[in-house]
Amino acid sequence: MAQMKRTVIVASAMVALTACAPAGYDGANSSAAEPVAVAAAEPTAAAEPEASASAEAPAADAPPPADVDLTEQLIGKKVARMGKVVTDQDGWILYRFDKDTADPPASNCVDKCAQVWPPALTDGNAQLTGVSDDKVGSVTRQDGTRQLTVGGWPVYRYIGDKKPGQWKGQAVGGTWFVVQPDGKKNLSCLPKTTPKAVAPPADSESNDAGSSGYSY
């Protein structure tokens, strides 16, 4: 695997994009992320997949447990309003976390954070479309599973997204952002206020921590 290049986060000017919030939050016009035509494609054609490859990664410490939900594909594409995104094989948009690190790659989202932001786990055989193989790798998490990285950044889903193509996780807590195929933050469609994360799934633990106390 080629060494991940450090990316420089380019802060885009925040503008009032009134069309963004409805698309990301109610999914009325974006129930699924649709690829846009690339330069060489026919005007009416969906974006053709770029060269696919298996995501190389460090040798696994152990095979993933049989019940682990693996991310089998990373797909780079453009969607209306949001622009460049990465999705999994089912069309769920993926995110990166500012409290993680890319050099070296490390995930700091564990326990309840990982319940709200499920990591994109891999067995080292993820197929790539529209994402360069030199941008993709993996990092071993605290529990021994391997998580996909894009541009060195570990990537995640968000349980607040209720259907593929939504991006309700954009700017949650001021630390979560849609990831682009090069690993950079997508700073399109930023909400006017900072959203809070949804609550973790109900479990046996008390629900004393309100959303105002979430650090994820």
Side-chain angles (χ1 to χ4, degrees):
M1 169 64 61
Q3 180 67 31
M4 299 297 178
K5 297 180 181 178
R6 296 191 64 178
T7 59
V8 178
I9 299 172
V10 180
S12 65
M14 183 179 297
V15 294
L17 299 176
T18 56
C20 288
Y25 282 76
D26 64 15
N29 296 315
S30 60
S31 59
E34 295 294 336
V36 297
V38 294
E42 294 297 332
T44 58
E48 292 295 328
E50 298 180 21
S52 298
S54 294
E56 296 179 358
D61 296 331
D67 59 348
V68 167
D69 186 14
L70 297 178
T71 297
E72 299 174 352
Q73 289 182 285
L74 292 180
I75 303 169
K77 60 175 68 174
K78 289 184 179 180
V79 297
R81 303 174 186 82
M82 181 56 70
K84 295 179 180 179
V85 304
V86 179
T87 74
D88 67 9
Q89 66 276 3
D90 298 316
W92 296 101
I93 287 179
L94 302 179
Y95 300 85
R96 46 169 281 183
F97 185 33
D98 279 356
K99 294 184 180 180
D100 287 345
T101 60
D103 188 14
S107 171
N108 293 309
C109 179
V110 297
D111 301 326
K112 285 194 174 183
C113 176
Q115 295 177 33
V116 175
W117 302 91
L121 301 179
T122 183
D123 60 1
N125 296 308
Q127 298 299 306
L128 310 181
T129 302
V131 183
S132 177
D133 60 358
D134 65 358
K135 292 294 184 182
V136 178
S138 71
V139 61
T140 301
R141 294 176 56 79
Q142 293 180 16
D143 61 3
T145 58
R146 293 164 63 195
Q147 182 175 2
L148 286 164
T149 61
V150 178
W153 291 96
V155 292
Y156 308 79
R157 274 190 50 202
Y158 178 49
I159 65 170
D161 289 337
K162 300 306 181 183
K163 60 178 69 176
Q166 288 188 329
W167 55 78
K168 292 184 179 182
Q170 178 72 325
V172 162
T175 56
W176 291 91
F177 297 91
V178 171
V179 69
Q180 298 186 144
D182 59 2
K184 294 181 180 180
K185 297 179 187 178
N186 183 324
L187 296 176
S188 302
C189 292
L190 293 172
K192 293 181 179 179
T193 59
T194 302
K196 294 176 181 177
V198 299
D203 57 22
S204 58
E205 299 182 17
S206 64
N207 194 26
D208 294 336
S211 61
S212 61
Y214 292 170
S215 60
Y216 46 83

